[in-house]
Amino acid sequence: QFQLVESGGGLVQPGGSLRLSCAASGFTLDYFGIGWFRQAPGKEREGISCSSSTDSTISYAASVKGRFTVSRDSAKNMVYLQMNNLKPEDTAVYYCAGGTSPSVGGCSLLSEDYGFWGQGTQVTVSS
């Protein structure tokens, strides 16, 4: 059973930082591409970052490029999203997703390309 669990969300002031974690179980993360998405109230889900299975491809949405960084820890079977210089418009529920199609190791910012998702973690940026 493929499972992803996000953690690390919370309340942070504008300009602050958070690191989100995505813990994988039931599969080896090394073989899978992972995407990060977010959804703000009343808005569509937005793909913000992805990394392919070998990290040979890493992509960021323009809205987060230069502020967010994705990384992996193979030993812990974890993926991280480091978020710096957070802005109020970054407020959303953040999700990690895996199992891209047609290749499970791919990198995509499209939610329909992913087969399984975590439950999400809330990030609120406010003073």
Side-chain angles (χ1 to χ4, degrees), residues 22-93:
C22 174
S25 61
F27 66 100
T28 300
L29 205 54
D30 284 350
Y31 301 112
F32 284 76
I34 294 293
W36 283 96
F37 294 78
R38 66 186 182 186
Q39 188 164 21
K43 295 188 177 181
E44 293 188 356
R45 188 168 295 187
E46 175 190 16
I48 57 173
S49 179
C50 65
S51 61
S52 63
S53 57
T54 59
D55 279 350
S56 59
T57 301
I58 297 177
S59 294
Y60 297 96
S63 57
V64 305
K65 197 169 186 178
R67 300 187 298 123
F68 290 12
T69 303
V70 64
S71 62
R72 293 176 180 240
D73 186 330
S74 296
K76 295 183 178 179
N77 220 29
M78 300 273 286
V79 178
Y80 303 100
L81 183 68
Q82 178 67 42
M83 307 187 296
N84 297 328
N85 190 23
L86 283 161
K87 305 174 182 181
E89 52 263 42
D90 294 319
T91 295
V93 178

Side-chain angles (χ1 to χ4, degrees), residues 70-124:
V70 64
S71 62
R72 293 176 180 240
D73 186 330
S74 296
K76 295 183 178 179
N77 220 29
M78 300 273 286
V79 178
Y80 303 100
L81 183 68
Q82 178 67 42
M83 307 187 296
N84 297 328
N85 190 23
L86 283 161
K87 305 174 182 181
E89 52 263 42
D90 294 319
T91 295
V93 178
Y94 283 71
Y95 302 88
C96 58
T100 51
S101 178
S103 168
V104 296
C107 174
S108 172
L109 296 181
L110 300 176
S111 59
E112 57 264 35
D113 286 344
Y114 288 85
F116 51 94
W117 294 75
Q119 84 289 349
T121 186
Q122 176 70 45
V123 172
T124 302

